[in-house]
């Protein structure tokens, strides 16, 4: 399958700071590709290069078969873009702003059909397009930004932290929009530091750390869900007994057990399978239980090593190319 995005040896340096180190990235057409990494990893720099907001220091970039530096307005019309820091101001209503975008984008289909799609998306996301944009909350401005990216059904969607400021129900609707775009044959490049967004939508993933890709492949092969943080309150035991029962389990790390009322409060990080922990937990009266994903930086550090080694460590590639998705 052809590539929607091809990046080869992309290097970007700001004075003394190197943001990207010889980056290689291939995004196949019709796929959802997740680009993840902690803040400062280089995600936004990479995406801005794709839409020619910034220019590379060296290397080559091809987007939909063209160099973004020379593709001009014709290439930009084929792309839907949500920047990481979205700024929407002005007295115009959401309707008028989107009508302007529809006119200048040269959208697929008529302006009328594009605006009809925009209204449908506004209903799904729950934003009032009659209000002046400047009066909208951060979350509602983000919704308008998503609508302008999706409404003309572009060949390629480039989305930088697109769910910033959105509540969980709207985030779920956004993920449905991404899956629908993929089903329609569109390509989606999604940058996020929220693991669950990537796990629910992406076909392939690249992990970016300190300006380098430290791993890439399909979500399952990268084991992004293999580390969990657990907090549980159990009754009918004390801290000494509970610690002895749980600390010898495989994968249990950073175990903290304290007496709490007539039971104990236990917190730990579990790497790998959670089944042994749950079977041990079943011996007790479970009063409360919370299982969380770690933040992305912790997961990257655990799975691929400290970022401080990224400058010298070889890149880990767990390629999924050729697999069926």
């Amino acid at each position: 399958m052809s590539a929607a995005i091809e990046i080869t040896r992309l290097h970007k340096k700001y004075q003394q700071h190197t943001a990207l180190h010889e980056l290689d990235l291939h995004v196949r057409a019709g796929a959802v590709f997740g680009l993840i990494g902690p803040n400062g990893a280089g995600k936004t720099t990479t995406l801005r290069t794709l839409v020619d907001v910034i220019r590379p220091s060296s290397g080559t970039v091809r987007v939909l078969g063209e160099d973004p530096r020379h593709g001009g307005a014709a290439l930009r019309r084929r792309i839907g873009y949500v920047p990481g820091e979205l700024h929407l101001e002005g007295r115009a209503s959401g309707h008028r702003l989107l009508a302007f975008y529809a006119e200048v984008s040269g959208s697929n289909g008529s302006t009328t059909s594009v605006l009809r799609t925009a209204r449908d998306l506004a209903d799904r996301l729950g934003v009032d397009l009659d209000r002046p944009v400047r009066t909208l909350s951060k979350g509602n401005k983000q919704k308008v930004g998503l609508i302008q990216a999706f409404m003309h059904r572009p060949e390629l969607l480039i989305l930088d932290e697109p769910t910033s400021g959105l509540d969980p129900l709207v985030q779920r609707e956004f993920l449905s929009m991404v899956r629908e775009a993929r089903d329609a044959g569109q390509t989606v490049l999604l940058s996020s530091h929220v693991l669950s967004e990537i796990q629910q939508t992406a076909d392939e993933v690249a992990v970016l750390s300190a300006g380098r890709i430290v791993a890439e492949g399909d979500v399952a092969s990268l084991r992004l869900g293999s580390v969990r943080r657990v907090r549980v309150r159990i009754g009918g035991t004390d801290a000494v007994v509970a610690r002895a029962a749980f600390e010898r389990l495989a994968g249990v790390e950073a175990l903290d057990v304290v007496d709490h009322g007539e039971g104990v409060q236990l917190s730990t990080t579990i790497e790998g399978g959670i089944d042994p922990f749950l079977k041990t937990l079943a011996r007790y009266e479970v009063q409360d239980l919370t299982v969380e994903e770690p933040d992305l930086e912790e997961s990257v550090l655990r799975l691929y090593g400290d970022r401080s080694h990224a400058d010298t460590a070889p890149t880990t590639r767990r390629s999924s190319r050729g697999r069926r998705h």
Side-chain angles (χ1 to χ4, degrees), residues 61-261:
V61 176
R62 306 287 291 181
V63 177
L64 300 176
E66 300 187 49
D67 185 335
R69 294 174 295 182
H70 308 304
L75 177 59
R76 288 193 290 273
R77 292 187 186 109
R78 301 167 66 191
I79 300 170
Y81 174 56
V82 175
E85 295 183 3
L86 180 65
H87 299 288
L88 295 178
E89 299 296 335
R91 297 177 181 275
S93 67
H95 281 301
R96 292 189 62 185
L97 182 65
L98 293 173
F100 169 76
Y101 285 138
E103 289 285 350
V104 300
S105 68
S107 309
N108 296 324
S110 69
T111 300
T112 300
S113 66
V114 171
L115 292 178
R116 186 182 305 115
T117 301
R119 288 192 292 271
D120 291 342
L121 291 172
D123 290 340
R124 291 178 64 176
L125 296 174
V127 59
D128 182 1
L129 296 181
D130 291 326
R131 293 180 55 186
V133 171
R134 66 176 182 175
T135 68
L136 297 177
S137 66
K138 180 182 186 301
N140 281 324
K141 288 179 180 178
Q142 190 72 16
K143 295 173 187 178
V144 174
L146 290 173
I147 293 169
Q148 66 81 25
F150 278 80
M151 66 183 184
H152 61 292
R153 297 187 176 91
E155 295 174 54
L156 173 64
L157 286 155
I158 298 177
L159 311 174
D160 191 1
E161 304 287 355
T163 59
S164 174
L166 301 182
D167 64 58
L169 289 178
V170 178
Q171 290 177 19
R172 183 184 303 174
E173 193 63 42
F174 162 76
L175 296 179
S176 295
M177 290 164 54
V178 170
R179 288 188 285 266
E180 290 166 11
R182 176 182 57 196
D183 293 343
Q186 297 166 261
T187 306
V188 182
L189 176 57
L190 170 63
S191 164
S192 179
H193 63 270
V194 181
L195 280 174
S196 58
E197 290 181 0
I198 302 300
Q199 290 172 316
Q200 293 179 54
T201 58
D203 302 302
E204 299 174 60
V205 180
V207 180
L208 195 61
S209 180
R212 287 186 170 88
I213 292 178
V214 295
E216 66 177 310
D218 60 75
V219 173
S221 72
L222 294 183
R223 304 188 319 47
L224 293 176
S226 66
V227 181
R228 303 170 183 85
R229 189 180 296 110
V230 177
R231 294 195 305 273
V232 59
R233 189 168 65 245
I234 55 180
T237 187
D238 59 40
V240 174
V241 174
R243 176 177 292 278
F246 287 96
E247 66 183 356
R248 59 175 176 262
L249 297 178
V252 170
E253 300 177 3
L255 179 65
D256 181 56
V257 186
V258 296
D259 289 311
H260 180 86

